[in-house]
Amino acid sequence: MLTPTRELAIQVAEAFQRYATHLRGFHVLPIYGGQSYTPQLQSLRRGVHVIVGTPGRVMDHLKRGTLKLSTLKYLVLDEADEMLRMGFIDDVEWILEQAPKSRQIALFSATMPKEIRRIAQNHLNQPAEVTIRSKTSTASGIRQRYCMVGGLHGKLDALTRILEAETFDAMIVFARTKQATGELAERLEARGFAVEALNGDIAQQQRERTIARLKSGQIDIVVATDVAARGLDVERISHVVNFDVPYDPESYVHRIGRTGRAGRSGEAILFIAPRERNMLRVIERATRQPITEMNMPTVEDVNEQRINRFTQRITTALEAGEADAFRGLIERYEADHNVPAVDIAAALASIAQGKTPLLLDTGRQSASGEKIGRAHV
């Protein structure tokens, strides 16, 4: 199976493995550039049933003689138009020419430009063209944005800034694995957010308790896997963040469908690493809706929100009459120590804030030169 990118090769190989869960002795191997030849050669020597690879690395193995197609039965071209766009079409044709005449070829493409049709006519035997009408759609009330960011630390910093700068009621953050949900939930909790993990290893009773806590406002964030979040319908959810890119467009649609339900508006944010740009285009083609790039909240944006939240706490306390019991005490301190009331208020605010600074240091820089700061609420 040929795919245009290594990320897609890995995703497809993982999908094969999931589909073949109950097939004992089944082996699938992704081969792609950027990875050492050693593990690929070892797996090829042992023998595999399915190879999912990028054209360049498949060509390398064919020319080295470490991959032979003499017994090949099926050859699949996935996202053929994307391979054309990326300049791999000559490599693909060369690989097709090495395959035995008795093989069966399946070609999948979101569009059918003339170059792809030519390949189908030249290499497929009386092919039947099947057009599938896409049912993939997203609610019109969901604003979709993406953030170009890579690596765990980069994504964690981006998520922290979004949590502090965006106004949200409740949020689902989607991670790819069960382990990742737990680790990410712990990191967010350490930063002061009310968060819990939700994955397939969590007992049903605990799952129900977590959802109840989300509905009641005891927690504001759930970090979940795709499977664990299926059927989740909580009216409070205003934001969905794809911390890890979904495996396919359908998964993306199901994820962001947790918000914007029953005519309500919602926000969907997708984290994309530079090497995952292809998946962004795939999602846009499948949903037929643009996903706009969002501006990452700056340190100044975060500080502004922190100030707003702090002043709102003051307003809420005054409106609730919670300050009445202390008014006489403040007046007495002001008279006894000849200290202005504003200085007393500032001292009390400092006590209330604790050791955590209210504002981020606008002069602190990341390795890339971007201003950053550790997030607390």
Side-chain angles (χ1 to χ4, degrees):
M1 185 165 191
L2 296 178
T3 65
T5 66
R6 61 181 181 180
E7 290 76 28
L8 185 56
I10 293 170
Q11 291 175 15
V12 171
E14 290 173 347
F16 267 109
Q17 203 67 60
R18 289 198 305 273
Y19 300 152
T21 299
H22 301 293
L23 292 178
R24 302 183 69 177
F26 175 82
H27 299 289
V28 58
L29 173 66
I31 59 174
Y32 49 86
Q35 183 190 47
S36 170
Y37 277 92
T38 302
Q40 295 178 6
L41 293 172
Q42 291 173 344
S43 296
L44 287 169
R45 291 191 193 102
R46 285 194 296 265
V48 296
H49 297 93
V50 175
I51 290 175
V52 186
T54 53
R57 184 54 65 97
V58 170
M59 277 185 66
D60 287 347
H61 279 288
L62 288 172
K63 291 178 177 179
R64 287 167 173 253
T66 50
L67 173 62
K68 298 180 180 179
L69 304 182
S70 57
T71 59
L72 182 72
K73 292 184 178 180
Y74 307 101
L75 197 157
V76 179
L77 306 181
D78 193 15
E79 296 197 16
D81 57 344
E82 191 64 22
M83 287 193 279
L84 170 65
R85 190 195 65 80
M86 296 176 69
F88 295 147
I89 209 65
D90 291 339
D91 296 350
V92 170
E93 288 206 80
W94 186 88
I95 294 170
L96 289 172
E97 290 168 358
Q98 314 310 307
K101 298 298 182 182
S102 59
R103 79 285 184 268
Q104 181 178 352
I105 296 180
L107 184 153
F108 294 90
S109 185
T111 60
M112 290 294 289
K114 61 180 181 179
E115 292 87 347
I116 300 301
R117 288 190 179 277
R118 179 180 57 78
I119 287 179
Q121 293 167 359
N122 292 345
H123 297 278
L124 277 66
N125 183 21
Q126 296 181 336
E129 183 174 338
V130 179
T131 302
I132 301 175
R133 185 182 299 275
S134 175
K135 295 182 179 180
T136 303
S137 61
T138 55
S140 58
I142 302 176
R143 180 171 65 148
Q144 301 176 63
R145 294 174 290 169
Y146 75 89
C147 176
M148 194 65 66
V149 59
L152 175 61
H153 295 295
K155 291 197 289 187
L156 184 60
D157 179 58
L159 178 58
T160 303
R161 292 196 188 195
I162 289 170
L163 290 172
E164 289 220 51
E166 289 265 328
T167 301
F168 71 95
D169 193 0
M171 178 184 293
I172 295 184
V173 179
F174 280 98
R176 187 167 292 163
T177 66
K178 299 172 186 177
Q179 181 179 352
T181 62
E183 292 175 352
L184 182 55
E186 288 178 2
R187 290 173 181 267
L188 293 177
E189 187 174 20
R191 285 160 169 76
F193 297 104
V195 56
E196 289 186 12
L198 197 64
N199 59 57
D201 287 343
I202 295 175
Q204 182 62 27
Q205 186 176 8
Q206 177 60 36
R207 169 188 163 86
E208 292 174 356
R209 188 180 301 117
T210 296
I211 295 174
R213 284 166 56 81
L214 183 65
K215 288 182 176 179
S216 66
Q218 292 177 282
I219 59 173
D220 300 317
I221 306 165
V222 167
V223 184
T225 57
D226 291 321
V227 174
R230 284 180 184 169
L232 184 61
D233 186 7
V234 178
E235 188 173 341
R236 290 186 61 223
I237 297 173
S238 60
H239 284 61
V240 169
V241 173
N242 293 275
F243 191 83
D244 292 325
V245 176
Y247 288 110
D248 51 56
E250 289 290 343
S251 296
Y252 172 81
V253 172
H254 287 306
R255 284 181 177 188
I256 71 172
R258 299 309 100 201
T259 187
R261 300 174 74 83
R264 298 186 295 268
S265 61
E267 299 284 341
I269 299 172
L270 174 66
F271 286 174
I272 288 284
R275 67 177 184 277
E276 296 169 330
R277 287 178 183 271
N278 174 63
M279 194 59 193
L280 176 63
R281 290 189 291 269
V282 170
I283 291 173
E284 286 184 320
R285 285 204 304 264
T287 60
R288 299 177 183 176
Q289 293 183 4
I291 304 176
T292 59
E293 185 170 9
M294 71 177 294
N295 295 320
M296 182 55 55
T298 64
V299 172
E300 289 76 11
D301 294 332
V302 172
N303 284 341
E304 183 64 28
Q305 288 299 320
R306 289 189 176 190
I307 292 171
N308 291 339
R309 286 195 294 270
F310 193 89
T311 55
Q312 183 58 46
R313 289 171 60 189
I314 297 173
T315 301
T316 301
L318 289 172
E319 292 175 347
E322 297 174 2
D324 295 344
F326 299 94
R327 186 169 284 106
L329 180 60
I330 300 302
E331 291 174 347
R332 176 179 172 182
Y333 189 96
E334 183 180 18
D336 291 348
H337 295 83
N338 193 29
V339 176
V342 65
D343 290 343
I344 301 173
L348 293 174
S350 176
I351 294 171
Q353 180 65 21
K355 294 182 179 180
T356 302
L358 174 62
L359 303 179
L360 299 179
D361 181 3
T362 57
R364 186 179 172 192
Q365 302 284 324
S366 70
S368 63
E370 181 186 8
K371 295 179 180 178
I372 62 171
R374 189 174 181 83
H376 297 275
V377 292

